[in-house]
Amino acid sequence: MEDNLRYIFFQLLRMGLWGKGKLALAAPLSDEDWAVLYQYALNHTVEGILFDAFPLLPDDQLPPRALRMKWAVRVDQIERHNTRMAQVAAEQFVDFSRLGAKPILLKGKGVASCYPNPLHRISGDIDWYFDEKDGYDKVLNRLQEKKIKVDLAISASLGYDWQRIHIEHHRRLFDIRSFFKLPYLKKLEQAYRPKQQSVLIENQAITLLAPELQILQVNIHILKHLLSFGIGLRQICDAAILYYTYRDKIDAEQLRNMYKKTGILKWVHVLHGILVNDLGLPKEDLPFPCPEKLKTDWMMDEIWYSGNFGFYDKRYLEGKVSFISVHPDGARRLWRGLRLYFPYAPQEVVFFPIRRATARLSSLISSRKSVDE
């Protein structure tokens, strides 16, 4: 039954993502079935996308009325939160620009504009990168002047709450762990600066990365989380919708070269297979073809079981939480992830524990300094 509901879930996800299709059912879904599907959507933070499939369903296939109302209330909450985030993003962009920091909107809020209904793409926070060399520090100084409580424990990033919205600033644009790739990535930033684009949010034009770099940044972020404790379908949908939106705007050969030079091309092939096989992205919308007879089920299973950032993985619910991570069975999960992905991104796997250890050490030092002060 679980496999059947998983199959139905992906049908609904594809319908909501692309705004077309029909739901094929061998038998009507029970109220209990719909309750499970709703929980799946929550686990992967895609309840807004599945909700967009409902207008495509005939009356006899819709969820029970009580669940539809509950789902509608949840989507209304998502819309309100996203509207508030958009207002904050627009305000901050103006403020940061006045400082000369040259802010660039990353990840969720920037990707949301590519969706048919941007308000239904859940965003946990607002992520900023600064194109000006000292932009990060300029903004940090301004936050400290305003006496905003800033969490500096995150390596190369900071976090804080502003008007009840969580904000993160990043010193590094890409989550590549291999030190050997950093000079190349810096050159990419410089080379693609003229191709930066913008999106209109709350009547404010906000800077985004060039399409190739936005795709690269999002996909590298997915790999980073897969190497640790997992990632849900929300970010996988992001990868699909970016390829679809930018299919006529990107230099496919250059993007392939980026994947190759960063050492993740083999892993990207697996991701591409999932986007086509499971999320319904047309093959022709991929920037380059996948190898034949590519096995992707193993990675799709990891994504499916882990849920949003690995917090819903039933395989480890009985595990103990340790200093390794707030996730149960942290060490075992990390080791499993490294073994799984070594054949597909070996340098990232080798450097991941090194960078993670240094980040943890930096966090401890920062915490002790805060206590001493």
Side-chain angles (χ1 to χ4, degrees):
M1 176 57 76
E2 184 176 338
D3 287 344
N4 183 50
L5 288 179
R6 174 174 165 175
Y7 173 71
I8 292 168
F9 174 87
F10 274 99
Q11 286 190 70
L12 291 167
L13 183 64
R14 289 191 291 269
M15 291 168 68
L17 191 60
W18 307 116
K20 60 184 180 180
K22 294 182 179 180
L23 181 61
L25 294 176
L29 294 171
S30 67
D31 291 6
E32 291 76 16
D33 292 336
W34 272 110
V36 172
L37 290 169
Y38 180 63
Q39 188 59 52
Y40 286 164
L42 293 177
N43 290 355
H44 288 274
T45 57
V46 291
E47 56 266 42
I49 299 175
L50 258 72
F51 187 80
D52 289 336
F54 294 170
L56 301 173
L57 299 177
D59 290 346
D60 61 347
Q61 287 187 340
L62 286 168
R65 186 172 183 275
L67 181 58
R68 285 207 309 275
M69 292 179 65
K70 180 180 179 180
W71 211 316
V73 169
R74 172 61 186 145
V75 171
D76 180 68
Q77 292 171 344
I78 294 169
E79 290 176 348
R80 290 172 184 270
H81 183 70
N82 280 335
T83 298
R84 184 68 196 121
M85 288 187 84
Q87 293 167 349
V88 170
E91 292 168 8
Q92 287 201 314
F93 182 83
V94 172
D95 290 343
F96 298 160
S97 296
R98 285 173 180 161
L99 292 174
K102 297 184 180 178
I104 298 175
L105 186 62
L106 301 180
K107 295 187 275 190
K109 289 307 295 179
V111 176
S113 62
C114 297
Y115 280 80
N117 191 336
L119 289 178
H120 288 183
R121 193 275 183 195
I122 293 175
S123 294
D125 53 27
I126 298 173
D127 293 274
W128 295 107
Y129 177 74
F130 300 97
D131 204 21
E132 181 65 25
K133 186 177 181 181
D134 59 350
Y136 182 98
D137 293 321
K138 283 180 179 178
V139 175
L140 174 57
N141 291 337
R142 176 57 62 89
L143 295 175
Q144 291 173 335
E145 287 172 5
K146 291 184 175 181
K147 300 189 183 303
I148 294 172
K149 187 178 180 181
V150 178
D151 180 6
L152 297 169
I154 312 168
S155 177
S157 298
L158 62 82
Y160 60 97
D161 292 328
W162 176 254
Q163 297 183 20
R164 293 179 296 175
I165 300 295
H166 189 67
I167 316 291
E168 289 191 358
H169 299 179
H170 305 281
R171 285 190 186 275
R172 287 197 297 264
L173 180 55
F174 299 104
D175 289 319
I176 283 289
R177 296 316 192 202
S178 172
F179 293 106
F180 300 127
K181 309 300 181 184
L182 300 183
Y184 168 70
L185 292 171
K186 209 62 190 174
K187 288 180 181 177
L188 273 185
E189 282 186 55
Q190 296 168 359
Y192 278 82
R193 187 171 287 122
K195 290 186 67 177
Q196 287 175 356
Q197 49 187 342
S198 65
V199 60
L200 200 63
I201 297 178
E202 294 293 309
N203 295 317
Q204 173 63 50
I206 295 179
T207 306
L208 301 177
L209 293 169
E212 292 89 347
L213 294 198
Q214 190 179 17
I215 290 171
L216 179 66
Q217 198 267 340
V218 165
N219 288 347
I220 287 173
H221 185 70
I222 291 172
L223 176 59
K224 167 197 166 182
H225 284 287
L226 285 174
L227 286 175
S228 52
F229 302 105
I231 201 165
L233 285 164
R234 171 170 44 125
Q235 286 77 14
I236 311 303
C237 288
D238 287 348
I241 208 73
L242 282 173
Y243 279 133
Y244 176 77
T245 302
Y246 294 141
R247 61 193 182 279
D248 297 323
K249 297 180 180 179
I250 59 174
D251 186 323
E253 189 56 38
Q254 285 298 321
L255 184 58
R256 189 181 190 281
N257 193 45
M258 291 176 197
Y259 290 141
K260 186 175 181 180
K261 287 195 172 184
T262 51
I264 64 170
L265 179 59
K266 195 171 181 181
W267 172 79
V268 166
H269 284 315
V270 181
L271 175 65
H272 285 180
I274 286 173
L275 300 184
V276 172
N277 299 335
D278 297 285
L279 266 63
L281 179 71
K283 282 185 178 180
E284 57 270 22
D285 290 341
L286 289 175
F288 44 85
C290 293
E292 293 184 10
K293 298 180 180 179
L294 181 68
K295 293 182 179 179
T296 63
D297 288 350
W298 65 272
M299 192 164 98
M300 186 65 253
D301 283 344
E302 289 300 309
I303 294 166
W304 176 253
Y305 289 121
S306 69
N308 189 43
F309 297 123
F311 286 107
Y312 297 93
D313 201 326
K314 294 180 180 179
R315 297 173 297 180
Y316 304 102
L317 288 181
E318 302 303 318
K320 294 181 179 179
V321 174
S322 68
F323 74 96
I324 297 290
S325 168
V326 296
H327 294 74
D329 240 349
R332 180 182 163 206
R333 294 170 75 170
L334 280 172
W335 176 241
R336 174 182 170 82
L338 297 179
R339 285 190 296 111
L340 276 173
Y341 293 101
F342 181 79
Y344 300 92
Q347 276 201 38
E348 286 306 289
V349 169
V350 169
F351 279 94
F352 185 85
I354 298 171
R355 294 289 287 272
R356 184 175 177 83
T358 55
R360 296 283 289 182
L361 181 61
S362 174
S363 175
L364 285 171
I365 293 171
S366 177
S367 299
R368 287 181 179 178
K369 282 183 178 179
S370 297
V371 171
D372 293 340
E373 291 171 358

